[in-house]
Amino acid sequence: MNPNPIETMSLRVSEFNALVKEVLEAGFPQSLWICGEIQGFDRQRHKTHVFFDLVEKDPISHDVIARIGAVIFARQKPLLQQRLRLASDPFELKDGLEVRFLCRVDFYPPHGMVRLIVEDLDPVYTVGQMALHKQRLIEELKREGVLDANKRRPWPMVPLSIGLITAYDSAAYNDFVTHLRESGYGFRILVRNTIMQGRQCPDDVVAALRFFDRREDIDVIVITRGGGSLADLHAFDNGTIARTIAVCRKPVVSGIGHDINITVTDLASHTTCKTPTALAQCLIDRIAEFCLTCDEKINCLDQELSRYFETQRRRLREAVLHLDTGTRRFLQRHDQWLARAEGRLQRTPLRVLSQHARMLQQRWRRLNSAWPRVLRNASQLLEHKRQAAVLSDPSHWLTKGFSITRDQRGRLLKTVETVSNGQALLTQLRDGTLISRVEGRTRSSSPLSEGS
Amino acid sequence: MAQLKYQKAVKKLDEIIARIENEDIDVDELAARVKEAVSLIRLCRKKIETAKIEVQQVVEEFAQEAQALEDEDDDAA
């Protein structure tokens, strides 16, 4: 079989890789500066030779659009560490960091991979990138209104109950807690042990913020940690933490790093202090202020009350005085009235009694004059009766010369009409009776009527 | 008779006197009524006398009490 012409043109892999290496070395005769973001570094950091990737991300989507392997050999580490130490803001290499490395392009035939061998680094670039990243984030958060949201939360009147976000038993923790304890106020501190640096830091801080914000017994949330490298503190230049702080209902007070390091977290907080101790002092000041206000109010109240009681006491004294004079006057009047009543009581009943006695005397006189009159009148009446009786007796009249004439049958003659001539008449006189005969008669011109 | 109230006694007395004054009375009855009137007057007088004595007694007692009180006030003052 004739060999295939393509087969005669083919290369073995080793030959190809050797060619590639040759081409690459010709193409990149010198080392060059390459910028990118570190990835896969943290897991490797303690190995002798540290293999990792440099990537470039899309500025908007953050998707990786380019990747290249890189290695820091053990012999380069001292130089790199010196560079990092001497930087204006010392930091450490770690994932997510934007770096500028001086690299030699290398192709390692057994792996068939292009790799950058790191020879040097430019710390100024990283610091600048971090600052740039931070500046962009700040501007974005400002636009969203995130940085002011928590500042609008009112201070609790007495922020004694504190939700503390820090690494338990760290220097920051001890400074903060000790200072609060020394104040003598009754602070109540609830600590949530939180990762305060590295990649997990933002998520842990966010979880802690949410944890404390939900709790009703927490007045104020404190985030604090001590100073560290710029890259350590870089974890707090984080949009998620800032946005979480913005939606917290409670004021978030932060003290992260020292002096010049103002993180995005600090900017988003309600109040920020430079150190954990300053942060504690800030809270102590709030309590002291409250106590002072209380003292002032108590003083005011005290004065008000004193004034009020003084007024009331004066009124009471006046009232007592009035009551006293009023009562005296009242009693005086009643004394006078009683004295008059007494006098009247002494005189009036006796006067009434003697009046009655006089009335009785009058009645006695009337009785004494009335009864003889009754008897006198009775006897007078009797006398009249007697006289009438005397007058009505005919014999009385016979003695006076009058006589009574009757006919033979004894009937009284009162008229001449019934008498006829020759008729015998009996005429009674005082001492006897005359018997006579009628010889004639004459009529009176004016006869007396009967019964008169 | 002793139970008779003063006012009633006086009223009765007035009636009797009126009858006698008006001579609206029998001679047979006269002595009895006059006797009754006199005993009514006697009763009323007795009541007045008794009342007078009691009043005088009470008033005198009270006057003494009042005097004692005044003396006390004077002592206190």
Side-chain angles (χ1 to χ4, degrees):
Chain A
M1 253 170 84
N2 287 332
N4 187 322
I6 291 171
E7 275 182 18
T8 57
M9 278 182 69
S10 63
L11 298 170
R12 299 191 64 80
V13 174
S14 59
E15 289 167 337
F16 173 75
N17 279 4
L19 257 177
V20 170
K21 190 173 166 72
E22 207 174 299
V23 169
L24 272 175
E25 281 173 357
F28 300 101
Q30 293 173 326
S31 299
L32 57 151
W33 290 97
I34 297 175
C35 299
E37 184 186 316
I38 297 175
Q39 269 196 357
F41 182 90
D42 293 357
R43 279 172 310 187
Q44 305 280 324
R45 76 164 66 235
H46 302 299
K47 301 224 168 131
T48 316
H49 310 296
V50 186
F51 290 87
F52 62 97
D53 285 346
L54 277 181
V55 301
E56 184 183 342
K57 288 178 176 170
D58 183 275
I60 294 157
S61 70
H62 298 286
D63 292 336
V64 174
I65 53 170
R67 178 186 297 275
I68 187 75
V71 62
I72 295 171
F73 287 120
R75 63 172 189 274
Q76 289 307 115
K77 279 185 175 175
L79 174 73
L80 297 181
Q81 269 158 10
Q82 192 190 8
R83 290 264 189 272
L84 291 170
R85 262 203 315 279
L86 295 178
S88 61
D89 276 310
F91 63 95
E92 285 176 2
L93 295 179
K94 61 178 185 175
D95 288 349
L97 214 59
E98 284 280 335
V99 289
R100 184 166 177 253
F101 284 138
L102 181 65
C103 304
R104 189 159 52 79
V105 181
D106 179 60
F107 184 80
Y108 186 53
H111 291 169
M113 276 178 65
V114 177
R115 205 185 294 281
L116 303 174
I117 298 167
V118 176
E119 295 180 327
D120 203 349
L121 74 85
D122 174 16
V124 176
Y125 174 83
T126 301
V127 171
Q129 282 300 304
M130 284 195 294
L132 196 66
H133 165 261
K134 185 171 168 180
Q135 203 49 48
R136 283 195 190 126
L137 182 63
I138 289 169
E139 274 161 22
E140 187 184 333
L141 294 173
K142 251 186 203 163
R143 271 201 306 279
E144 291 174 25
V146 165
L147 299 186
D148 294 329
N150 197 258
K151 290 180 181 59
R152 284 195 292 269
R153 308 276 180 243
W155 272 110
M157 197 181 279
V158 196
L160 277 175
S161 192
I162 292 156
L164 179 57
I165 300 175
T166 194
Y168 185 69
D169 215 19
S170 62
Y173 168 84
N174 285 316
D175 285 354
F176 180 75
V177 171
T178 306
H179 201 68
L180 283 192
R181 291 267 175 271
E182 281 169 0
S183 74
Y185 293 125
F187 284 105
R188 182 176 155 273
I189 306 162
L190 194 65
V191 194
R192 184 167 159 125
N193 191 15
T194 310
I195 299 166
M196 296 303 276
Q197 62 186 45
R199 269 205 322 195
Q200 285 171 293
C201 167
D203 287 349
D204 212 25
V205 169
V206 164
L209 282 166
R210 289 182 181 149
F211 169 76
F212 283 130
D213 200 44
R214 273 197 304 271
R215 290 188 62 124
E216 291 303 320
D217 58 343
I218 295 295
D219 298 324
V220 60
I221 301 170
V222 169
I223 304 177
T224 191
R225 60 151 289 160
S229 74
L230 196 68
D232 284 345
L233 301 178
H234 188 57
F236 289 93
D237 293 327
N238 180 286
T240 315
I241 295 179
R243 290 188 178 93
T244 307
I245 289 172
V247 297
C248 273
R249 293 170 300 133
K250 289 162 186 171
V252 176
V253 187
S254 69
I256 294 164
H258 283 124
D259 297 337
I260 52 166
N261 306 317
I262 297 289
T263 65
V264 171
T265 299
D266 290 318
L267 291 173
S269 294
H270 182 281
T271 303
T272 185
C273 300
K274 284 174 180 170
T275 63
T277 307
L279 193 57
Q281 189 57 47
C282 167
L283 293 171
I284 291 164
D285 289 348
R286 298 292 312 173
I287 306 298
E289 196 179 310
F290 172 77
C291 289
L292 200 68
T293 315
C294 278
D295 284 350
E296 278 169 10
K297 280 180 180 159
I298 286 168
N299 273 340
C300 276
L301 195 65
D302 194 36
Q303 283 172 8
E304 277 298 315
L305 281 177
S306 297
R307 255 201 301 280
Y308 174 78
F309 283 129
E310 186 46 48
T311 311
Q312 294 304 320
R313 258 200 295 277
R314 202 176 55 241
R315 276 190 195 160
L316 214 56
R317 273 200 300 272
E318 282 167 7
V320 166
L321 216 63
H322 283 150
L323 192 64
D324 192 38
T325 50
T327 309
R328 270 171 205 279
R329 214 171 300 146
F330 177 84
L331 288 177
Q332 230 164 30
R333 273 203 304 274
H334 274 263
D335 264 355
Q336 288 163 1
W337 180 85
L338 214 57
R340 280 200 300 276
E342 215 176 287
R344 274 157 57 194
L345 187 67
Q346 280 177 2
R347 292 185 299 272
T348 312
L350 295 177
R351 198 167 61 226
V352 169
L353 285 176
S354 39
Q355 233 165 36
H356 276 281
R358 271 200 304 281
M359 267 153 60
L360 219 54
Q361 191 61 30
Q362 277 170 8
R363 283 186 178 82
W364 164 240
R365 275 201 295 275
R366 273 166 62 198
L367 180 70
N368 224 6
S369 65
W371 68 263
R373 204 160 61 231
V374 172
L375 289 182
R376 208 159 47 236
N377 286 352
S379 16
Q380 271 173 12
L381 200 67
L382 214 57
E383 181 58 20
H384 287 314
K385 299 264 187 218
R386 193 187 60 76
Q387 281 176 8
V390 167
L391 288 177
S392 63
D393 185 0
S395 55
H396 171 77
W397 298 106
L398 292 178
T399 58
K400 299 279 180 185
F402 292 97
S403 59
I404 302 162
T405 307
R406 292 185 169 86
D407 63 11
Q408 296 99 312
R409 283 186 281 180
R411 288 184 298 196
L412 274 178
L413 281 185
K414 292 183 183 174
T415 173
V416 294
E417 295 297 331
T418 57
V419 179
S420 45
N421 285 343
Q423 187 180 341
L425 298 175
L426 300 172
T427 303
Q428 191 182 0
L429 297 177
R430 185 176 62 93
D431 51 352
T433 304
L434 288 175
I435 302 164
S436 57
R437 298 243 178 238
V438 179
E439 285 185 351
R441 57 182 183 178
T442 53
R443 287 176 202 271
S444 297
S445 55
S446 51
L448 296 167
S449 60
E450 204 174 344
S452 64
Chain B
M1 230 17 189
Q3 291 98 328
L4 203 58
K5 292 276 178 201
Y6 178 84
Q7 278 303 334
K8 259 194 177 157
V10 170
K11 199 177 166 199
K12 205 163 179 185
L13 179 60
D14 278 346
E15 279 168 13
I16 294 168
I17 291 172
R19 274 184 72 195
I20 295 171
E21 280 178 335
N22 293 337
E23 295 171 39
D24 175 24
I25 194 162
D26 218 316
V27 172
D28 287 338
E29 220 189 328
L30 182 64
R33 290 290 82 85
V34 170
K35 210 180 274 177
E36 192 184 348
V38 167
S39 75
L40 284 170
I41 289 172
R42 193 175 286 135
L43 175 75
C44 287
R45 267 196 186 144
K46 206 167 168 186
K47 278 180 187 284
I48 288 172
E49 268 315 302
T50 311
K52 197 170 167 181
I53 288 165
E54 281 177 3
V55 166
Q56 274 171 338
Q57 199 177 336
V58 165
V59 165
E60 201 147 307
E61 270 172 21
F62 179 69
Q64 276 169 6
E65 268 172 44
Q67 188 60 47
L69 274 176
E70 265 174 41
D71 290 349
E72 249 176 55
D73 279 355
D74 290 347
D75 290 350

